[in-house]
């Protein structure tokens, strides 16, 4: 796994039927299951920075339970994420404004961050 201080682990996605019996997928869903498997394969690593494909409350929660840190964007997979609260708070804000919500899940602190990029675009992430 080591690559100049970083860790790399890959998994080939085998379609819906090929992935349904993979470890964790039934309990966490395909994306979170894959993310947890990848992190466990790089046990020397302390955390992950992932784009929106990886980002979900389930993935962050399961990684935290295993002692990993995660910074992930949130886009489509926003179930349990306070996206509406953040959108409402940033609705009339100018570009460059952010909001941070702090919560606890399974005794782990999780931060939900919203950033008003410009007058039309908002970005969401976990920490």
């Amino acid at each position: 796994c080591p690559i100049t201080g970083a860790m790399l682990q890959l998994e080939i996605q085998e379609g819906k039927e090929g992935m349904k019996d993979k470890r964790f997928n039934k309990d966490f869903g395909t994306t979170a299951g894959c993310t947890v498997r990848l992190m466990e394969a790089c046990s020397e690593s302390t955390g992950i920075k992932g784009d929106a494909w990886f980002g979900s409350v389930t993935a962050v929660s399961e990684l935290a339970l295993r002692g990993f840190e995660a910074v992930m964007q949130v886009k489509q997979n926003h179930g349990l994420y306070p996206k509406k609260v953040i959108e409402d708070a940033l609705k009339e804000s100018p570009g460059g404004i952010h909001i941070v919500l702090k919560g606890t899940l399974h005794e782990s602190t999780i931060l939900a961050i919203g950033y008003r990029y410009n007058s039309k675009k908002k970005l969401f992430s976990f920490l």
Side-chain angles (χ1 to χ4, degrees), residues 15-33:
K16 189 173 184 175
E17 286 300 311
M19 297 306 291
K20 72 177 182 179
D21 293 326
K22 294 281 187 181
R23 187 169 54 104
F24 301 132
N25 283 7
K26 286 183 182 176
D27 296 325
F28 311 152
T30 304
T31 304

Side-chain angles (χ1 to χ4, degrees), residues 26-59:
K26 286 183 182 176
D27 296 325
F28 311 152
T30 304
T31 304
C34 175
T35 305
V36 172
R37 284 192 305 277
L38 293 173
M39 287 305 299
E40 286 186 344
C42 290
S43 60
E44 296 175 22
S45 181
T46 59
I48 182 175
K49 293 178 185 172
D51 66 10
W53 189 86
F54 298 94
S56 72
V57 172
T58 301

Side-chain angles (χ1 to χ4, degrees), residues 55-121:
S56 72
V57 172
T58 301
V60 170
S61 170
E62 292 302 325
L63 290 172
L65 284 172
R66 289 161 175 78
F68 295 111
E69 297 176 356
V71 177
M72 300 179 175
Q73 292 178 312
V74 178
K75 203 168 190 178
Q76 300 295 334
N77 203 355
H78 58 82
L80 303 176
Y81 183 83
K83 187 174 180 181
K84 177 80 169 114
V85 171
I86 292 172
E87 282 180 326
D88 290 347
L90 296 176
K91 190 173 187 177
E92 300 297 323
S93 301
I97 299 297
H98 70 277
I99 184 172
V100 179
L101 303 176
K102 180 179 178 181
T104 303
L105 185 61
H106 302 300
E107 299 180 20
S108 297
T109 299
I110 295 180
L111 303 177
I113 303 165
Y115 176 69
R116 181 75 179 213
Y117 183 75
N118 59 31
S119 63
K120 295 180 181 179
K121 190 170 191 171

